[in-house]
């Protein structure tokens, strides 16, 4: 399956253990979009869901060898191409 034929999902929608590749950021020109890009959420970057807080927010993500914690409002701005869940 080629990356362009994969379904899209936001980072916030992925379950723990799932991964995807960043397709684009919603609101890239807004301050939070620019901040996410500076943290490494760039097109082509693989992101994995590591752990979610007991009440569901925030969540720890791993990308480029770094773990970052984001709230779901921020994670909804990261659109991914995903193959499936788990891994």
């Amino acid at each position: 399956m080629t990356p362009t034929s994969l379904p899209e999902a936001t980072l916030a929608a992925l379950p723990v253990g799932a991964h995807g590749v960043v397709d684009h950021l919603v609101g890239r020109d807004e301050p939070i979009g620019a901040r996410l890009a500076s943290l490494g959420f760039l097109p082509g970057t693989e992101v994995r869901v590591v752990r979610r807080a007991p009440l569901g927010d925030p969540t720890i993500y791993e990308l480029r060898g770094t773990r970052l914690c984001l709230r779901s409002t921020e994670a909804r701005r990261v659109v991914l191409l995903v193959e499936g869940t788990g891994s």
Side-chain angles (χ1 to χ4, degrees):
M1 199 177 247
T2 62
T4 55
S5 67
L6 296 175
E8 288 185 351
T10 66
L11 189 56
L14 292 184
V16 173
H19 62 92
V21 176
V22 176
D23 183 54
H24 66 276
L25 295 173
V26 175
R28 170 71 165 87
D29 297 331
E30 297 174 17
I32 188 63
R35 180 67 177 152
L36 288 169
S38 72
L39 289 170
F41 291 95
L42 300 170
T45 302
E46 186 170 338
V47 182
R48 182 175 64 91
V49 183
V50 177
R51 186 172 59 221
R52 191 160 274 127
L55 296 178
D57 199 31
T59 301
I60 298 173
Y61 302 96
E62 185 173 66
L63 68 150
R64 300 177 181 254
T66 301
R67 289 185 175 190
L68 299 168
C69 188
L70 297 177
R71 296 214 172 270
S72 60
T73 55
E74 299 156 343
R76 280 190 222 110
R77 292 178 170 268
V78 182
V79 179
L80 305 172
L81 299 174
V82 293
E83 276 191 45
T85 59
S87 142

